[in-house]
Short mmCIF file of all heavy atoms in Angstrom, two decimals:
data_model
loop_
_atom_site.label_atom_id
_atom_site.label_comp_id
_atom_site.label_asym_id
_atom_site.label_seq_id
_atom_site.Cartn_x
_atom_site.Cartn_y
_atom_site.Cartn_z
N ALA A 192 -13.69 -80.22 67.05
CA ALA A 192 -13.33 -79.06 66.23
C ALA A 192 -13.08 -79.42 64.78
O ALA A 192 -13.36 -78.64 63.86
CB ALA A 192 -12.10 -78.37 66.82
N SER A 193 -12.53 -80.61 64.52
CA SER A 193 -12.17 -80.99 63.15
C SER A 193 -13.39 -81.25 62.27
O SER A 193 -13.25 -81.39 61.05
CB SER A 193 -11.29 -82.24 63.17
OG SER A 193 -11.99 -83.35 63.67
N TYR A 194 -14.58 -81.32 62.84
CA TYR A 194 -15.79 -81.54 62.04
C TYR A 194 -16.09 -80.33 61.14
O TYR A 194 -16.81 -80.46 60.17
CB TYR A 194 -16.99 -81.79 62.96
CG TYR A 194 -17.15 -83.21 63.42
CD1 TYR A 194 -16.06 -84.07 63.54
CD2 TYR A 194 -18.40 -83.72 63.75
CE1 TYR A 194 -16.21 -85.37 63.98
CE2 TYR A 194 -18.57 -85.02 64.18
CZ TYR A 194 -17.47 -85.84 64.30
OH TYR A 194 -17.63 -87.13 64.73
N PHE A 195 -15.62 -79.18 61.51
CA PHE A 195 -15.87 -77.92 60.81
C PHE A 195 -17.33 -77.52 60.93
O PHE A 195 -17.65 -76.51 61.54
CB PHE A 195 -15.45 -77.98 59.33
CG PHE A 195 -15.46 -76.62 58.67
CD1 PHE A 195 -14.40 -75.76 58.83
CD2 PHE A 195 -16.53 -76.21 57.89
CE1 PHE A 195 -14.41 -74.49 58.25
CE2 PHE A 195 -16.56 -74.96 57.30
CZ PHE A 195 -15.49 -74.10 57.49
N CYS A 196 -18.22 -78.30 60.36
CA CYS A 196 -19.63 -77.92 60.37
C CYS A 196 -20.50 -79.17 60.22
O CYS A 196 -20.18 -80.05 59.41
CB CYS A 196 -19.91 -76.95 59.22
SG CYS A 196 -21.46 -76.06 59.33
N TYR A 197 -21.57 -79.24 61.00
CA TYR A 197 -22.55 -80.32 61.00
C TYR A 197 -22.09 -81.56 61.78
O TYR A 197 -20.95 -81.97 61.72
CB TYR A 197 -22.97 -80.72 59.58
CG TYR A 197 -23.59 -79.57 58.83
CD1 TYR A 197 -22.98 -79.04 57.69
CD2 TYR A 197 -24.77 -78.98 59.28
CE1 TYR A 197 -23.54 -77.96 57.02
CE2 TYR A 197 -25.32 -77.89 58.62
CZ TYR A 197 -24.70 -77.39 57.49
OH TYR A 197 -25.24 -76.31 56.84
N TYR A 198 -23.04 -82.11 62.52
CA TYR A 198 -22.89 -83.29 63.37
C TYR A 198 -22.07 -83.04 64.63
O TYR A 198 -21.92 -83.95 65.45
CB TYR A 198 -22.32 -84.49 62.59
CG TYR A 198 -23.41 -85.32 61.95
CD1 TYR A 198 -23.92 -84.99 60.70
CD2 TYR A 198 -23.96 -86.41 62.61
CE1 TYR A 198 -24.93 -85.72 60.12
CE2 TYR A 198 -24.98 -87.15 62.04
CZ TYR A 198 -25.46 -86.80 60.78
OH TYR A 198 -26.47 -87.53 60.22
N GLU A 199 -21.54 -81.84 64.82
CA GLU A 199 -20.86 -81.58 66.09
C GLU A 199 -21.85 -81.65 67.25
O GLU A 199 -21.48 -82.05 68.36
CB GLU A 199 -20.15 -80.22 66.08
CG GLU A 199 -21.05 -79.00 65.94
CD GLU A 199 -21.48 -78.73 64.51
OE1 GLU A 199 -20.74 -79.11 63.58
OE2 GLU A 199 -22.56 -78.12 64.33
N ASP A 200 -23.12 -81.31 67.00
CA ASP A 200 -24.12 -81.40 68.07
C ASP A 200 -24.53 -82.85 68.33
O ASP A 200 -24.58 -83.28 69.48
CB ASP A 200 -25.34 -80.52 67.76
CG ASP A 200 -25.92 -80.72 66.36
OD1 ASP A 200 -25.42 -81.58 65.61
OD2 ASP A 200 -26.87 -79.99 66.01
N THR A 201 -24.78 -83.62 67.27
CA THR A 201 -25.16 -85.02 67.45
C THR A 201 -24.05 -85.82 68.11
O THR A 201 -24.28 -86.62 69.02
CB THR A 201 -25.52 -85.65 66.09
OG1 THR A 201 -26.62 -84.92 65.51
CG2 THR A 201 -25.91 -87.10 66.24
N ASP A 202 -22.81 -85.61 67.66
CA ASP A 202 -21.67 -86.30 68.25
C ASP A 202 -21.52 -85.94 69.73
O ASP A 202 -21.30 -86.82 70.58
CB ASP A 202 -20.39 -85.91 67.49
CG ASP A 202 -19.15 -86.57 68.06
OD1 ASP A 202 -18.58 -86.03 69.03
OD2 ASP A 202 -18.74 -87.62 67.53
N THR A 203 -21.67 -84.67 70.06
CA THR A 203 -21.54 -84.24 71.46
C THR A 203 -22.64 -84.84 72.31
O THR A 203 -22.39 -85.33 73.42
CB THR A 203 -21.57 -82.70 71.54
OG1 THR A 203 -20.47 -82.17 70.79
CG2 THR A 203 -21.47 -82.23 72.98
N ALA A 204 -23.86 -84.81 71.82
CA ALA A 204 -24.97 -85.39 72.58
C ALA A 204 -24.78 -86.89 72.78
O ALA A 204 -25.07 -87.43 73.85
CB ALA A 204 -26.29 -85.12 71.84
N TRP A 205 -24.28 -87.57 71.76
CA TRP A 205 -24.05 -89.02 71.85
C TRP A 205 -23.02 -89.31 72.94
O TRP A 205 -23.19 -90.22 73.77
CB TRP A 205 -23.54 -89.54 70.51
CG TRP A 205 -23.82 -90.99 70.24
CD1 TRP A 205 -23.83 -92.01 71.13
CD2 TRP A 205 -24.12 -91.56 68.96
NE1 TRP A 205 -24.10 -93.19 70.50
CE2 TRP A 205 -24.29 -92.96 69.17
CE3 TRP A 205 -24.24 -91.05 67.67
CZ2 TRP A 205 -24.58 -93.83 68.12
CZ3 TRP A 205 -24.53 -91.92 66.63
CH2 TRP A 205 -24.70 -93.30 66.86
N ARG A 206 -21.95 -88.53 72.99
CA ARG A 206 -20.93 -88.73 74.03
C ARG A 206 -21.47 -88.42 75.42
O ARG A 206 -21.12 -89.09 76.40
CB ARG A 206 -19.70 -87.89 73.71
CG ARG A 206 -18.89 -88.44 72.55
CD ARG A 206 -17.69 -87.58 72.23
NE ARG A 206 -18.04 -86.34 71.57
CZ ARG A 206 -17.79 -85.12 72.04
NH1 ARG A 206 -17.18 -84.98 73.22
NH2 ARG A 206 -18.14 -84.05 71.37
N LEU A 207 -22.32 -87.42 75.52
CA LEU A 207 -22.95 -87.12 76.81
C LEU A 207 -23.81 -88.29 77.27
O LEU A 207 -23.78 -88.68 78.45
CB LEU A 207 -23.80 -85.86 76.71
CG LEU A 207 -23.04 -84.53 76.61
CD1 LEU A 207 -24.00 -83.39 76.29
CD2 LEU A 207 -22.29 -84.23 77.91
N ARG A 208 -24.57 -88.87 76.35
CA ARG A 208 -25.41 -90.01 76.71
C ARG A 208 -24.58 -91.23 77.11
O ARG A 208 -24.91 -91.93 78.07
CB ARG A 208 -26.35 -90.36 75.55
CG ARG A 208 -27.48 -89.35 75.41
CD ARG A 208 -28.70 -89.95 74.75
NE ARG A 208 -29.86 -89.08 74.95
CZ ARG A 208 -30.62 -89.10 76.03
NH1 ARG A 208 -30.36 -89.94 77.01
NH2 ARG A 208 -31.66 -88.28 76.15
N LEU A 209 -23.49 -91.48 76.40
CA LEU A 209 -22.62 -92.58 76.77
C LEU A 209 -22.04 -92.39 78.17
O LEU A 209 -21.79 -93.36 78.89
CB LEU A 209 -21.48 -92.72 75.75
CG LEU A 209 -21.86 -93.30 74.39
CD1 LEU A 209 -20.70 -93.15 73.40
CD2 LEU A 209 -22.26 -94.78 74.52
N ALA A 210 -21.84 -91.13 78.55
CA ALA A 210 -21.31 -90.83 79.88
C ALA A 210 -22.39 -90.80 80.95
O ALA A 210 -22.10 -90.48 82.11
CB ALA A 210 -20.58 -89.49 79.85
N GLY A 211 -23.63 -91.11 80.56
CA GLY A 211 -24.70 -91.23 81.54
C GLY A 211 -25.59 -90.02 81.69
O GLY A 211 -26.48 -90.02 82.54
N TRP A 212 -25.40 -89.01 80.88
CA TRP A 212 -26.20 -87.79 80.97
C TRP A 212 -27.45 -87.89 80.09
O TRP A 212 -27.46 -88.61 79.10
CB TRP A 212 -25.38 -86.57 80.55
CG TRP A 212 -24.26 -86.23 81.47
CD1 TRP A 212 -22.95 -86.59 81.35
CD2 TRP A 212 -24.35 -85.47 82.67
NE1 TRP A 212 -22.22 -86.08 82.39
CE2 TRP A 212 -23.05 -85.39 83.22
CE3 TRP A 212 -25.40 -84.82 83.34
CZ2 TRP A 212 -22.78 -84.71 84.40
CZ3 TRP A 212 -25.13 -84.14 84.51
CH2 TRP A 212 -23.84 -84.09 85.04
N ASP A 213 -28.47 -87.11 80.44
CA ASP A 213 -29.67 -87.00 79.63
C ASP A 213 -29.62 -85.72 78.80
O ASP A 213 -28.85 -84.79 79.09
CB ASP A 213 -30.93 -86.95 80.51
CG ASP A 213 -31.18 -88.26 81.24
OD1 ASP A 213 -30.69 -89.31 80.76
OD2 ASP A 213 -31.85 -88.24 82.29
N VAL A 214 -30.46 -85.66 77.77
CA VAL A 214 -30.67 -84.45 76.98
C VAL A 214 -32.17 -84.21 76.94
O VAL A 214 -32.94 -85.13 76.66
CB VAL A 214 -30.13 -84.61 75.54
CG1 VAL A 214 -30.36 -83.34 74.74
CG2 VAL A 214 -28.65 -84.97 75.56
N VAL A 215 -32.59 -82.99 77.23
CA VAL A 215 -34.01 -82.68 77.33
C VAL A 215 -34.39 -81.57 76.35
O VAL A 215 -33.53 -80.85 75.85
CB VAL A 215 -34.40 -82.27 78.77
CG1 VAL A 215 -34.23 -83.45 79.72
CG2 VAL A 215 -33.58 -81.08 79.24
N GLY A 216 -35.67 -81.46 76.09
CA GLY A 216 -36.20 -80.39 75.26
C GLY A 216 -36.91 -79.36 76.10
O GLY A 216 -37.32 -79.64 77.23
#
């Protein structure tokens, strides 16, 4: 939440990948 705007999606995806999840298109 403290990001306000921008990179909240990249940060979230990075944490998902670290936790073993994939991201697809």
Side-chain angles (χ1 to χ4, degrees):
S193 65
Y194 276 28
F195 190 81
C196 195
Y197 300 116
Y198 271 86
E199 64 280 333
D200 50 3
T201 300
D202 179 276
T203 299
W205 205 325
R206 287 179 287 119
L207 288 171
R208 286 206 164 276
L209 286 170
W212 293 97
D213 293 336
V214 180
V215 294

